Amino acid sequence: MTESRKLIDSFGRVHNNLRISVTDRCNIRCFYCMPADNVEFMPRAELLTFEEIERVVRVGTSLGIDRLRLTGGEPLVRRELPSLVARLAEVPGIIDIGLTTNAVLLDELAQPLHDAGLKRLNISLDALDPEVFRKVTRRDSYDKVIAGIDAARRAGFRPIKLNAVSIRGLTEDQIIPFAELARETDTEVRFIEFMPLDADSKWQNDKVLTAASIKKILEDQFGELRPVPKSNPSAPASDFEFADGKGRIGLIASVSEPFCGSCNRFRLTADGKLRNCLFSLEETDIRPLIRESGTDEDIATAMLQCVAAKKAGHQINSSDFVQPDRPMYSIGG
Ligand code: SF4
């Protein structure tokens, strides 16, 4: 594969990780992502079919894509998702498929997903207290999530990774319980800073519980945290071990310590738009190419141009930051 046929942006970042949103629908309503009510979801006819997603992935592998992450909305609400995983696992060049889920439907789907070839699971869970869970998600699904995590463990997913969005004034008291879970089980907990991608555009910087403040809370309780060298330089999380070697946590400091310099990710939305960054204000619509007369070469060109146009990083901390029109639930994490 010649350099010119790789997904490299003007900063020299090589993109081999495609995040695929398979739906904008979800079965809970996290306030930092979705409106509480009256959510207008994409018409089903606008969602890419599994065949169309597979075609985009095949073209992507010819440009160096080898890692996929399936996201939503909530990907498990898309029917027959294990069959999409099985399809994508067969695409030559794909070495890793991950999925990010809220685990509400994982109890019945963990085994079929594992059997289909899914390698890694990240479970979004922001609280271990059902009351705080309800405040964040505006739904009573806590028990189903816990049952889903147990099913994932039975199916053989290791390690179980929990993604917990940390919000000042709401989830501080969840940090120690999550750390104790990480210390007592084979669960890795990653604390994620609250990002401005909420549908109601109510995000405020003073609601961000920074990675540094989370680290201080943990070190005040458990002593020094030891950094774990990154196995994947593009991984968003900075991992730490507790001084006594019991357990591991990760900090994803998207806002306070951006990691855009090593970003290798780009995205395909459920309705067929390419986004070169989570905070991109532009998109490339490839659905007409896929559904009408476009060739694989046309799709490849669109991907190359999309990545070539990628900016250095998000502008969250600058005065001219503009929140994307498209909220998190229709971009996918
Ligand atoms: S904000 Fe954009 S450039 Fe930065 S890490 Fe996220 S996707 Fe990559």
Side-chain angles (χ1 to χ4, degrees):
M1 192 185 312
T2 61
E3 283 301 300
S4 63
R5 294 294 291 176
K6 278 195 176 167
L7 295 162
I8 303 180
D9 64 28
S10 60
F11 304 93
R13 295 172 295 192
V14 179
H15 293 69
N16 65 327
N17 188 326
L18 179 62
R19 297 198 165 195
I20 303 169
S21 168
V22 296
T23 182
D24 62 341
R25 291 164 201 274
C26 189
N27 44 12
I28 59 178
R29 293 286 181 274
C30 302
F31 75 86
Y32 54 74
C33 177
M34 297 189 85
D37 309 299
N38 309 326
V39 188
E40 279 189 35
F41 291 120
M42 301 167 188
R44 289 189 198 284
E46 292 185 10
L47 298 185
L48 295 187
T49 65
F50 290 175
E51 293 76 13
E52 291 169 336
I53 292 172
E54 183 187 338
R55 180 180 177 198
V56 175
V57 168
R58 283 184 185 281
V59 173
T61 56
S62 73
L63 303 172
I65 293 289
D66 58 10
R67 292 169 181 279
L68 305 176
R69 176 162 291 278
L70 302 179
T71 66
E74 167 49 38
L76 300 190
V77 303
R78 178 100 190 232
R79 276 197 292 278
E80 312 294 331
L81 194 75
S83 68
L84 174 63
V85 171
R87 262 174 188 274
L88 299 178
E90 293 300 313
V91 175
I94 294 300
I95 58 172
D96 183 67
I97 303 178
L99 178 134
T100 302
T101 173
N102 63 29
V104 171
L105 297 174
L106 197 53
D107 192 13
E108 61 252 35
L109 286 167
Q111 194 62 57
L113 288 166
H114 193 268
D115 299 346
L118 189 70
K119 293 262 186 328
R120 291 182 299 117
L121 265 183
N122 288 56
I123 293 167
S124 306
L125 178 62
D126 307 320
L128 292 175
D129 174 333
E131 195 38 50
V132 180
F133 177 92
R134 189 182 302 116
K135 272 198 196 125
V136 173
T137 65
R138 301 177 285 202
R139 292 293 182 274
D140 270 325
S141 313
Y142 182 76
D143 295 343
K144 285 189 177 160
V145 172
I146 300 304
I149 295 172
D150 293 342
R153 206 170 263 117
R154 285 195 305 275
F157 287 104
R158 289 293 184 286
I160 298 289
K161 286 191 176 179
L162 299 185
N163 289 357
V165 175
S166 298
I167 301 151
R168 189 176 292 288
L170 186 59
T171 65
E172 280 98 329
D173 62 359
Q174 299 302 302
I175 292 169
I176 302 299
F178 269 126
E180 278 157 355
L181 178 73
R183 292 169 56 77
E184 286 144 23
T185 68
D186 59 355
T187 307
E188 283 185 23
V189 178
R190 298 115 64 79
F191 298 102
I192 305 180
E193 291 182 349
F194 176 25
M195 291 185 284
L197 283 167
D198 55 318
D200 302 331
S201 300
K202 291 209 180 97
W203 179 88
Q204 291 164 273
N205 208 312
D206 62 9
K207 290 275 182 283
V208 175
L209 197 55
T210 64
S213 49
I214 295 167
K215 191 164 179 277
K216 181 164 184 335
I217 292 170
L218 292 167
E219 291 189 325
D220 288 352
Q221 179 80 14
F222 300 105
E224 183 215 354
L225 286 176
R226 296 202 183 117
V228 176
K230 280 196 177 190
S231 53
N232 169 5
S234 297
S238 299
D239 292 332
F240 297 86
E241 267 173 356
F242 292 93
D244 59 6
K246 284 178 64 179
R248 187 182 274 204
I249 59 105
L251 298 173
I252 301 183
S254 323
V255 177
S256 66
E257 299 160 43
F259 35 79
C260 303
S262 61
C263 183
N264 67 340
R265 297 169 289 280
F266 86 122
R267 292 170 167 81
L268 175 67
T269 66
D271 56 347
K273 311 281 192 325
L274 294 175
R275 296 178 60 84
N276 56 29
C277 168
L278 192 51
F279 291 93
S280 173
L281 301 177
E282 288 93 34
E283 301 181 327
T284 306
D285 188 358
I286 60 169
R287 198 177 65 215
L289 291 179
I290 297 168
R291 289 194 173 168
E292 292 146 29
S293 54
T295 64
D296 287 359
E297 189 49 34
D298 296 332
I299 296 171
T301 304
M303 284 180 161
L304 290 161
Q305 289 169 348
C306 174
V307 168
K310 183 166 180 165
K311 296 196 169 55
H314 67 62
Q315 298 296 308
I316 298 172
N317 302 311
S318 75
S319 55
D320 51 14
F321 171 67
V322 178
Q323 181 168 336
D325 292 341
R326 197 187 268 264
M328 175 68 110
Y329 70 92
S330 76
I331 299 174

